């Protein structure tokens, strides 16, 4: 079910694409005996435009034996690179091709004689220089003149060969610079070289001149990096960088309190020899003077 739906969508898409006009220029032509054997990237013209009948260009009645046929094929991608078909013309079979025109002498599939009585010739032109290009070819079996928008190339055994052309837009070629403009350009380049080699004092001091204008210098000193860290996280405090100094008033208060403690301790305790040794150690560490130590111990 899914495959059939996908195939149906592809058929619809191909139908829509086929209905759209293809204004690309034709780049090559071929002739085949059987339109099913049309070369790759070529499309056979096997039906007439006006009657939708067989578009055989040989058109020879055969009562006995195999019928000989010739079908025209066109391509918009093959052929000489950069060349397009500019115009078509029908001439007699033995007539010499006009100057600049090419002819098809053999069928592409069977290498047989291409034409009978009449032949189709075409002219190639470079895509960049051609003014027009053939974009479509139709074959008519009943009409005696080309349909509107088409040009008649001629009649081949009762089949009218008609083609449509379209103008090829061209971009204007760039103007060739004159000798005077080239000289002026050379002078300008030389002046630029001289200016680049000359020292420029204003450029040397350009940075200093911009400093006060744009205030590029910082207004305050950048903070110092942290003095310590814990693990991978740096700890910053509000008093970082401020030296720790004890207030002199607090320092004197601490000394007075220590002296009071010394006085109470020495007057309320009776020292032994061990006490004396302990006091000596404390005296060394605290650097305190006990003037009445010898009164209580009797041993200095």
């Amino acid at each position: 079910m899914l495959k059939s739906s996908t195939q149906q969508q592809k058929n619809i898409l191909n139908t829509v694409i086929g209905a759209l006009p293809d204004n690309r220029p034709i780049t090559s032509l071929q002739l085949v005996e059987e339109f099913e054997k049309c070369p790759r990237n070529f499309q056979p013209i096997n039906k007439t435009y006006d009657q939708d009948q067989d578009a055989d260009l040989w058109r020879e009645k055969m009562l006995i034996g195999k019928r000989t046929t010739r079908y025209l094929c066109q391509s918009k991608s093959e052929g000489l690179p950069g060349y397009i078909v500019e115009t078509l013309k029908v001439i007699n079979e033995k007539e010499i091709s006009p100057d600049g025109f090419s002819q098809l002498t053999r069928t592409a599939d069977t290498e047989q004689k291409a034409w009978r009585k009449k032949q189709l010739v075409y002219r190639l032109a470079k895509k960049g220089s051609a003014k027009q290009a053939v974009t479509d070819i139709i074959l008519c079996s009943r009409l005696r003149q080309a349909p509107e928008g088409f040009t008649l190339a001629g009649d081949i055994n009762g089949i009218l060969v008609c083609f449509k052309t379209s103008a090829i837009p061209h971009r204007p070629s760039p103007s060739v610079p004159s000798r005077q403009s080239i000289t002026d350009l050379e002078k300008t380049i030389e002046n630029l070289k001289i200016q680049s080699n000359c020292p420029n004092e204003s450029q040397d001091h350009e940075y200093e001149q911009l400093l006060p204008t744009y205030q590029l210098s910082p207004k305050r000193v950048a903070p110092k990096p942290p003095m310590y860290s814990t693990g991978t996280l740096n700890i910053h405090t509000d008093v970082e960088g401020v030296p720790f100094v004890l207030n002199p008033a607090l320092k004197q208060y601490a000394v007075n309190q220590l002296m009071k403690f010394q006085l109470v301790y020495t007057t309320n305790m009776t020292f032994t020899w061990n006490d004396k040794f302990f006091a000596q150690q404390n005296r060394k560490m605290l650097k305190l003077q006990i003037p009445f130590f010898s009164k209580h111990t009797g041993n200095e």
Side-chain angles (χ1 to χ4, degrees):
M1 182 66 180
L2 182 60
K3 290 184 178 180
S4 61
S5 177
T6 304
Q7 186 63 33
Q8 185 178 4
Q9 292 178 358
K10 288 183 179 180
N11 294 337
I12 294 174
L13 182 61
N14 292 333
T15 303
V16 173
I17 293 176
L20 295 175
D22 186 2
N23 291 326
R24 294 179 300 164
I26 296 174
T27 57
S28 183
L29 296 175
Q30 290 288 349
L31 200 69
V32 295
E33 188 171 356
E34 299 179 14
F35 67 85
E36 294 90 351
K37 297 180 180 180
C38 187
R40 185 178 180 181
N41 297 326
F42 282 80
Q43 292 76 40
I45 306 175
N46 61 322
K47 294 292 182 179
T48 58
Y49 174 79
D50 53 349
Q51 295 290 313
D52 196 28
Q53 296 178 356
D54 186 25
D56 171 32
L57 296 175
W58 191 269
R59 298 181 72 83
E60 184 180 20
K61 294 182 179 180
M62 297 288 295
L63 298 178
I64 302 174
K66 182 181 179 181
R67 186 169 69 97
T68 303
T69 55
R70 296 291 185 268
Y71 296 96
L72 186 65
C73 303
Q74 62 181 359
S75 174
K76 296 188 175 184
S77 59
E78 302 300 313
L80 292 175
Y83 281 82
I84 58 174
V85 177
E86 187 179 26
T87 188
L88 301 176
K89 191 175 183 179
V90 174
I91 61 175
N92 292 326
E93 179 185 3
K94 297 181 179 180
E95 185 179 348
I96 299 175
S97 299
D99 187 22
F101 281 77
S102 302
Q103 60 182 158
L104 302 172
T105 59
R106 295 287 176 179
T107 57
D109 55 344
T110 59
E111 289 291 329
Q112 299 297 318
K113 179 183 175 181
W115 306 103
R116 184 178 71 89
K117 296 183 179 181
K118 295 290 184 75
Q119 63 174 329
L120 179 69
V121 294
Y122 59 96
R123 184 171 64 195
L124 294 175
K126 287 186 177 181
K127 190 174 183 180
S129 60
K131 297 181 180 180
Q132 66 176 18
V134 177
T135 58
D136 194 13
I137 300 174
I138 60 173
L139 303 177
C140 302
S141 57
R142 188 172 183 179
L143 293 176
R144 295 295 94 190
Q145 60 181 5
E148 183 179 358
F150 286 84
T151 302
L152 179 63
D155 180 289
I156 299 180
N157 301 322
I159 298 293
L160 290 184
V161 180
C162 306
F163 62 95
K164 180 188 290 186
T165 59
S166 298
I168 299 178
H170 295 287
R171 295 181 180 178
S173 58
S175 59
V176 179
S178 62
R179 182 60 188 173
Q180 182 64 28
S181 61
I182 295 176
T183 304
D184 295 340
L185 180 60
E186 290 175 350
K187 290 181 179 180
T188 304
I189 296 174
E190 190 66 26
N191 292 334
L192 292 175
K193 289 181 179 179
I194 295 174
Q195 293 177 5
S196 62
N197 293 332
C198 294
N200 193 346
E201 296 181 358
S202 61
Q203 293 180 358
D204 296 339
H205 302 281
E206 185 178 0
Y207 181 73
E208 290 82 356
Q209 293 175 1
L210 289 177
L211 281 178
T213 305
Y214 293 93
Q215 299 180 357
L216 297 177
S217 58
K219 294 183 178 181
R220 62 178 181 178
V221 181
K224 296 181 180 180
M227 300 301 294
Y228 60 93
S229 63
T230 302
T232 58
L233 300 176
N234 293 333
I235 299 176
H236 299 269
T237 61
D238 295 335
V239 295
E240 184 176 330
V242 180
F244 181 78
V245 179
L246 186 63
N247 194 310
L250 294 176
K251 185 176 181 180
Q252 186 61 34
Y253 175 78
V255 172
N256 294 338
Q257 291 298 323
L258 185 59
M259 294 299 294
K260 288 180 181 180
F261 172 76
Q262 175 190 4
L263 180 60
V264 172
Y265 182 75
T266 55
T267 55
N268 295 334
M269 298 293 293
T270 301
F271 280 49
T272 62
W273 173 254
N274 292 334
D275 295 330
K276 177 182 178 182
F277 175 77
F278 180 78
Q280 289 177 352
Q281 297 299 324
N282 286 336
R283 189 185 302 120
K284 292 179 180 179
M285 289 186 294
L286 301 176
K287 296 182 181 179
L288 300 176
Q289 298 296 331
I290 307 177
F292 41 81
F293 180 79
S294 60
K295 294 181 181 181
H296 297 279
T297 59
N299 296 318
E300 184 65 31

